[in-house]
Every structure is written in C-alpha cells, then in structure tokens.
C-alpha cells in the first residue's frame, strides 16, 4: 500500500479541510460555501478556475506540457437533508443537514490530488478537476453541469469518479466493468373511477378495487415479462384513496420506484406498466394513466477505462488490495450521465466498518451511507488523493 509521501504529510491538513466541510453541510444547488472554499483553494494553487457550472459547480483546469489529451476527475459536494446523530467535534453545525454520504471526503480527496499535481506537474496534457453539486435526491447536478457545457468547454478523453464504501476494508479498491449501479425512476398511476355512496356500489366505479388488482398485475412486470438475466425492481411504495367510511372515492393513486441496470429493461418495464395502467381500469369501466419519470440512468462503466483504472490501482497499491469485480449495487448515482457521454469508470474505496469513529464518538451506531451515525473515514484521504495522482500520471504520461 503506497501513498505518496508528500500527500501523506498533508494528511492532517486534508483531515482538517474535510472536517470543516463536514461541519458545514449544504444541500443540492446550495453548495455556495463549499464551492467558494474549493474555488479559493484551486486559485491559490494556480489553477484556472471556472465557477457557476450547474449553478454551484466548479471546474479547475491544470495543464502541463504540450499534450492534447485530457482527463476529468469528479467529486460531488452536496450533503443530505437529514439530522446528524454523531457527537464528535466536527459534527454538522446545521440542524437537519448532514454529510451522510461522504461527499465531504470526496471533495477533500480531489483537492488533495490538485494540490500535489499543481506542485508536481509531471504529466503531459490537461486535468479537469470537476466539483459537482447536487448528486443526491435525484437532483442530477451532473446533468446540470453538462447542460452548462461541461464537456464542450472542458473536453475530457475519459472521466473518473469515486465513492467511499462502508463495510469494505480501508485501503481496498473496488471496480466493476459494465452495468454497476441501477437506473432510478419514479412513477405515478392515477386510476379514475366514479365516486358514489358506499351503499350503492352498482352506481359507482370503485377505483380501490381496481387499485388492488393493479398492485397484483404490476407484480407480473418483473416476474413474468422481464428477462430474468437482467435484474430489476418494481416497488409500489404508496397507495392513496378515499377520505370517508361511507364514500366510494372517485380516484386512487399508486406511486413507486423502478430500478434497472440496462436501458432495454427500463424501456420494456415502462411499456408494460403503461399498458397495464391504461387498460386494466378500462375492464372495470374506469380509466388509468401512468406518469413515468426517469431520474438517473444506469451507471455503466466502460471496459477499457475500467481495466486502466484497475491497472493503476494494482501498480500503486498491490493486487491484494483490489477487487476487480465488486457486486452490482441497486443504488443510483448521477455520474451515470457523464458515462453516457464520455468513456470512464466509477470506482469504490473501502471506508471500513466504522471503527475510526471510536476515539471521538461516545456510543456507536452503524456507519452506513445515509445513516445519522455515518462518518467519512479520514484514513482514505491520502489513499484517494494518491490514487488520483497515479491515475493522471498514467493517463497523461510524459513523453
Ligand atoms: Zn448518497
Ligand atoms: Zn454519495
């Protein structure tokens, strides 16, 4: 396991920086303090800095030599709308907001890499340091940056991003080529019947009975009409209808989520759901409509760039610290928008099992992502920053 000496020496400084960001969490598209901090640091390092991409996004550009190749490295900056239960000194100072996903750490890691590469520009080409807003909650900060011309203004031959992974040992890297994280989609089905007196069902069209049958019919979408080799989830998470004991309501609403690893599976599921939502109510004299919203596409890592990212990690940290095929993960991640346009790889860095909180934490809770007791493990800072440096040196080698 080899971190770069100079980055190792900056561990204390990077830890302080990470904890400062942790204590000041900001929600999607409101990351002004964090973005200012990032932009100021990058300017102080002598990088060309661009702000306001996707509202609060920041890009730092570092060039060396005369090479035309370029690489993008991405960190997300946003926190979550949740309370923090930790009681250590760097806990959130803002009620109801928490860096519960470690984006504070991802930001500090990328700043650590920028600091090293600015001092040692031993590469040939352009590095685009991409600090992205609004990864959480379907806000798609990645797409917002692209809509502001991210890849036209800052062309990238490849792009890489990382996420800490609780439960995976510290200093371990996880990779997977191909579909790795799921698409995230939400949907509403509105069933229209005919309201009436509960004692006179013959004069009404009961949307509740149709809704009950709809719940069953929707089960067949994944169990019977999806390719069993292509994983998918369809969950119905809300049913709403009626306000009284003696009234048949006029309308029932079903809502839920769909997750898939491929666009093909998603297209098929949406079409099947639309057919059921529209035609099933008609059987009973009602009508139905599906509103299907595709939030994040599936995250599909590119083969060649994943092989490259694995090779960099193997050479720098040893084969024993690499898992080249982590399991697929049904969570979603908007780095997938970048990977639809630019080759690249999204990788995972072990965050350990939470022991790092013992020194300052009085009483333990689980250290899982989006848990109120989560905390990013500062031991990863020099590991992640050193990895980004090695990746840049390998991707943009000096002639
Ligand atoms: Zn998250
Ligand atoms: Zn996250």
């Amino acid at each position: 396991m080899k971190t770069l000496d100079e980055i190792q020496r900056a561990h204390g400084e990077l830890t302080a920086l990470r904890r400062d960001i942790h204590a000041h969490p900001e929600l999607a598209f409101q990351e002004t303090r964090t973005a200012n901090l990032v932009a100021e640091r990058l300017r102080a390092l002598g990088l060309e800095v661009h702000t306001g991409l996707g509202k609060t996004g920041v890009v730092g550009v570092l060039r060396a030599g005369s090479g035309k190749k370029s690489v993008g490295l991405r960190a997300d900056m946003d926190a979550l709308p949740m309370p923090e239960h930790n009681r250590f000194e760097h806990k959130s100072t803002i009620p109801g907001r928490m860096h519960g996903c470690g984006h504070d750490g991802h930001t500090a890691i990328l700043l650590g890499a920028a600091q090293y590469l600015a001092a040692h520009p031993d590469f040939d080409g352009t590095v685009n340091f991409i600090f992205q807003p609004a990864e959480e909650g379907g806000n798609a900060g990645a797409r917002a940056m692209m809509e502001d011309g991210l890849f036209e203004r800052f062309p990238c031959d490849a792009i890489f991003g990382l996420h800490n992974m609780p439960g995976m040992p510290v200093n371990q890297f996880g990779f997977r080529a191909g579909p790795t994280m799921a698409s995230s989609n939400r949907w509403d089905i509105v069933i229209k019947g005919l309201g009436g007196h509960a004692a006179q069902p013959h004069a009404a069209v009961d949307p509740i009975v149709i809704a009950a049958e709809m719940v069953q019919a929707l089960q067949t979408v994944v169990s019977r009409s999806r390719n069993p080799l292509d994983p998918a989830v369809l969950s119905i998470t809300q049913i709403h209808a009626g306000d009284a004991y003696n009234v048949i309501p006029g309308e029932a609403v079903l809502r839920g989520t769909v997750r898939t690893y491929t666009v093909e599976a998603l297209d098929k599921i949406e079409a099947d759901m639309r057919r059921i939502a529209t035609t099933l109510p008609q059987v009973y004299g009602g009508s139905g409509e599906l509103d299907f919203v595709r939030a994040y596409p599936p995250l599909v890592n590119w083969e060649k760039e994943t092989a490259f990212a694995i090779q960099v990690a193997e050479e720098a940290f040893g084969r024993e610290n690499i898992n080249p095929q982590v399991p697929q993960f049904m969570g979603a991640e908007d780095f997938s928008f970048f990977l639809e346009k630019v080759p690249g790889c999204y990788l995972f860095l072990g965050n350990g099992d939470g022991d790092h909180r013992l020194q300052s934490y009085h009483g333990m809770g689980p250290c899982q992502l989006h848990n109120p007791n989560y905390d990013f493990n500062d031991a990863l800072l020099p590991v992640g920053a050193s990895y980004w440096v090695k990746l840049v040196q390998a991707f943009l080698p000096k002639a």
Side-chain angles (χ1 to χ4, degrees), residues 76 101 103 135-136 163:
D76 37 16
C101 206
H103 299 182
E135 192 285 321
E136 297 285 359
H163 206 291

Side-chain angles (χ1 to χ4, degrees), residues 227-243:
N227 178 348
L229 297 176
D230 194 349
V233 175
L234 191 173
S235 286
I236 300 156
T237 55
Q238 301 183 41
I239 302 184
H240 302 281
D243 301 291

Side-chain angles (χ1 to χ4, degrees), residues 111-132:
L111 284 171
Q115 186 169 333
Y116 182 94
L117 286 165
H120 307 276
D122 42 1
F123 59 91
D124 187 28
T126 303
V127 187
N128 296 311
F129 296 90
I130 300 166
F131 293 87
Q132 185 211 297

Side-chain angles (χ1 to χ4, degrees), residues 194-206 208 243-250:
L194 180 64
H197 198 293
Q200 295 176 307
H202 57 289
V205 175
D206 190 344
I208 290 181
D243 301 291
Y245 286 104
N246 57 354
V247 176
I248 294 169

Side-chain angles (χ1 to χ4, degrees), residues 26-108:
E26 296 174 302
L27 299 182
F29 296 122
Q30 300 168 16
E31 308 92 338
T32 49
R33 182 187 186 275
T34 312
N36 285 339
L37 184 153
V38 166
E40 267 171 37
R41 287 238 161 191
L42 295 176
R43 276 192 202 103
L45 296 171
L47 270 69
E48 177 189 309
V49 178
H50 302 260
T51 58
L53 278 99
K55 212 166 177 183
T56 43
V58 179
V59 178
V61 182
L62 183 62
R63 294 188 187 88
S66 55
K68 294 277 169 272
K69 271 184 88 176
S70 58
V71 65
L73 303 176
R74 174 273 213 167
D76 37 16
M77 300 189 291
D78 57 321
L80 287 158
M82 60 181 283
E84 174 157 7
H85 290 177
N86 293 314
R87 282 169 285 169
F88 42 57
E89 233 169 77
H90 62 278
K91 68 182 182 292
S92 171
T93 56
I94 305 171
R97 291 185 198 173
M98 176 189 179
H99 266 295
C101 206
H103 299 182
D104 47 345
H106 306 159
T107 297

Side-chain angles (χ1 to χ4, degrees), residues 214-371:
M214 182 84 74
V215 169
Q216 298 306 320
L218 289 173
Q219 304 308 310
T220 66
V221 171
V222 167
S223 70
R224 302 287 81 192
S225 40
R226 169 199 51 115
N227 178 348
L229 297 176
D230 194 349
V233 175
L234 191 173
S235 286
I236 300 156
T237 55
Q238 301 183 41
I239 302 184
H240 302 281
D243 301 291
Y245 286 104
N246 57 354
V247 176
I248 294 169
E251 196 176 285
V253 178
L254 277 63
R255 296 195 181 108
T257 186
V258 166
R259 308 289 170 114
T260 69
Y261 286 116
T262 62
V263 175
E264 298 78 66
L266 185 56
D267 288 343
K268 175 91 163 68
I269 286 174
E270 182 178 343
D272 288 344
M273 288 181 71
R274 194 171 304 284
R275 195 182 62 251
I276 291 169
T278 312
T279 58
L280 183 76
Q282 288 171 2
V283 174
Y284 301 97
S287 64
E289 238 178 78
L290 169 73
D291 181 28
F292 197 95
V293 178
R294 299 187 180 200
Y296 291 176
L299 186 140
V300 184
N301 280 326
W302 293 54
E303 297 281 344
K304 188 173 142 232
E305 284 67 26
T306 303
F308 168 78
I310 291 173
Q311 194 192 333
V312 170
E314 274 185 3
E315 280 170 15
F317 296 94
R319 181 169 287 245
E320 67 281 9
N321 289 313
I322 312 301
N323 180 349
Q325 207 177 6
V326 292
Q328 288 178 314
F329 176 47
M330 268 292 171
E333 160 65 54
D334 75 351
F335 194 78
S336 54
F337 286 109
F338 294 147
L339 292 179
E340 284 189 326
K341 288 281 176 292
V342 174
C345 174
Y346 190 68
L347 56 116
F348 304 97
L349 198 49
N351 196 58
D353 56 12
D355 288 352
H356 63 283
R357 299 168 304 161
L358 277 174
Q359 297 152 351
S360 50
Y361 187 70
H362 319 284
M364 291 287 282
C367 191
Q368 294 298 325
L369 299 175
H370 295 208
N371 182 283

